[in-house]
Amino acid sequence: MKIAFIINDHETEKPNYTTPALGFAAYKREHEVYFIGIGELAYASDGHFSARCKTIKEANFKSQETFFKAVQKEKFTKITSEELDVLFLRNDPSDEINARDWAQNAAFIFGGIAMNDNVLVVNHPSSLAGAVNKMYFQHFPEILRPKTIISRDKKEIGEFFKEQKQKMILKPLQGSGGMNVFMMDKKNEHNLSQTIDAICRDGYVIAQEYLPEAKNGDTRLFLMNGEPLQNNGQYAIMQRVNKSGDIRSNIHAGGRPEKAKMTDQILELSEIVRPKLVQDGMFLVGIDIVGDKLMEINVFSPGGLNVMGQMYEVDFATEVIESIERKVNYKNLYGNYLFNSRLATL
């Protein structure tokens, strides 16, 4: 099959990221693999999209790093949506805030065009468009979530702060990767107004209950087709331990990955999440858990799958590609009788 991965930009995509791991897994299974930056998409007058892309063929590589470095050295070629079997949307719109605002919605738009060309698009583009900010998280059952308000009103946020006994988390509605996340307590209460102003410059403020278990970091779990991803009995799960003095546990923000055990509590939580993800066509998702609460759902470009693979010596990326292969087979058998949103999580 011909599978293309949408990334933010070739300059910022690193060889050790999860998307190159997925691309390498597909390449090893003798598929044609293409990487497309958001700025390399174009609409053709005949109703299809075309894209400048990078690909490599007929070479052997020992690792995803050597594979992707070789891909990046290749000259750009061109591909159209008519030629593709699969389009995997792996860009993060939040990375474009204040830098390339035009790029935030591009993948959803071009993903819709690809669907018209009978291309399997994952995750489902119209659902991704509805999840472009953290409000999507509020559509899941309240039992999963910490107490939260979303507002731009300082008075309302201040009252919530008092209700939470002067300890809460503040973060922007739109964003990811631990950007502009603050813990407010009695010690820095004098900065509350200033902190709200800073976050408000980019939109709404999320004020969230502080969970004491967060001092130990969080647990990242991958869900595929709405269920915990696993290979040979090993789940794609890890503990992300905070860097000393930092409330963020994101790995690129200094968090340290450690092995984690699956628990009945986490399985129960992921089961509650599953119906909504399946309904929305969210094929590959990362969920972040603290205690018995869900802190975040990353439906765009969840990272760490390659880290987990190395940690447990298990090939999770190939499991993902094999699932896509089955979907392509279903699509070939059923034609247009299966909607993309449903096919994405079969």
Side-chain angles (χ1 to χ4, degrees):
M1 67 182 179
K2 292 185 177 181
I3 179 170
F5 294 88
I6 300 289
I7 57 177
N8 287 73
D9 193 274
H10 282 283
E11 295 298 320
T12 56
E13 192 71 18
K14 300 292 189 294
N16 63 337
Y17 280 5
T18 293
T19 304
L22 295 169
F24 184 48
Y27 183 82
K28 287 189 293 183
R29 293 181 66 80
E30 299 184 347
H31 299 303
E32 294 183 34
V33 180
Y34 304 87
F35 293 91
I36 303 169
I38 285 293
E40 292 147 17
L41 291 160
Y43 178 77
S45 59
D46 56 2
H48 314 291
F49 81 64
S50 64
R52 294 167 66 240
C53 60
K54 291 198 173 187
T55 185
I56 196 165
K57 298 174 183 177
E58 300 178 359
N60 294 319
F61 302 97
K62 292 183 179 180
S63 68
Q64 72 175 65
E65 286 84 359
T66 55
F67 160 74
F68 195 68
K69 285 178 181 177
V71 169
Q72 296 296 67
K73 291 178 182 177
E74 291 290 308
K75 293 182 179 179
F76 280 104
T77 57
K78 202 168 191 178
I79 195 165
T80 70
S81 51
E82 290 179 286
E83 301 171 74
L84 289 174
D85 297 299
V86 182
L87 183 66
F88 203 153
L89 307 181
R90 285 283 304 174
N91 63 300
D92 186 351
S94 68
D95 283 353
E96 311 292 357
I97 297 173
N98 298 328
R100 302 193 305 173
D101 288 337
W102 55 266
Q104 290 185 57
N105 299 316
F108 321 140
I109 295 168
F110 284 95
I113 295 170
M115 281 170 47
N116 292 335
D117 270 331
N118 209 32
V119 178
L120 169 65
V121 183
V122 291
N123 293 344
H124 187 57
S126 58
S127 295
L128 284 180
V132 76
N133 60 51
K134 292 185 175 70
M135 189 69 80
Y136 180 71
F137 183 54
Q138 305 306 120
H139 295 171
F140 289 82
E142 189 174 355
I143 191 173
L144 297 171
R145 300 181 270 113
K147 293 176 183 175
T148 301
I149 65 166
I150 300 172
S151 178
R152 288 175 54 85
D153 187 328
K154 286 184 184 179
K155 183 179 179 182
E156 188 174 12
I157 296 171
E159 289 172 354
F160 182 80
F161 183 57
K162 291 176 184 176
E163 289 172 14
Q164 297 306 309
K165 299 179 181 178
Q166 294 172 297
K167 198 162 190 178
M168 67 179 178
I169 300 294
L170 292 183
K171 55 188 175 181
L173 178 61
Q174 190 161 344
S176 68
M179 292 176 59
N180 295 327
V181 177
F182 304 92
M183 186 179 78
M184 307 304 301
D185 56 20
K186 294 178 182 179
K187 294 179 182 177
N188 60 5
E189 183 177 359
H190 61 282
N191 289 327
L192 180 58
S193 178
Q194 181 182 344
T195 304
I196 294 171
D197 285 340
I199 299 175
C200 277
R201 282 198 287 268
D202 292 327
Y204 282 85
V205 178
I206 296 177
Q208 196 170 70
E209 168 190 11
Y210 174 76
L211 301 177
E213 299 97 326
K215 67 180 184 295
N216 300 318
D218 65 13
T219 302
R220 162 63 59 91
L221 172 67
F222 271 86
L223 302 179
M224 184 175 76
N225 300 319
E227 298 182 347
L229 172 60
Q230 57 179 312
N231 185 347
N232 292 327
Q234 175 59 56
Y235 289 99
I237 186 172
M238 68 178 174
Q239 186 74 13
R240 303 188 302 181
V241 181
N242 303 355
K243 185 172 67 174
S244 178
D246 198 329
I247 60 170
R248 301 171 302 167
S249 50
N250 310 77
I251 291 175
H252 70 264
R256 184 178 73 253
E258 292 184 356
K259 292 181 178 180
K261 290 183 179 180
M262 179 59 76
T263 66
D264 290 341
Q265 187 179 62
I266 293 174
L267 284 173
E268 182 180 353
L269 188 150
S270 61
E271 178 60 23
I272 297 172
V273 170
R274 184 174 65 85
K276 173 72 172 165
L277 295 178
V278 169
Q279 174 186 270
D280 292 351
M282 297 299 190
F283 166 57
L284 189 67
V285 170
I287 62 173
D288 300 332
I289 303 161
V290 171
D292 62 349
K293 298 294 184 182
L294 194 63
M295 297 301 293
E296 193 162 334
I297 299 178
N298 188 328
V299 298
F300 292 100
S301 58
L305 193 66
N306 50 330
V307 175
M308 296 174 190
Q310 293 165 7
M311 189 181 294
Y312 300 113
E313 298 182 349
V314 172
D315 187 357
F316 294 118
T318 294
E319 288 292 313
V320 175
I321 299 304
E322 287 179 348
S323 180
I324 290 174
E325 291 170 352
R326 289 191 290 273
K327 298 177 198 302
V328 171
N329 185 48
Y330 296 151
K331 193 166 187 62
N332 291 337
L333 289 171
Y334 280 87
N336 291 325
Y337 286 101
L338 291 175
F339 293 119
N340 188 84
S341 57
R342 186 65 194 94
L343 186 60
T345 47
L346 278 178

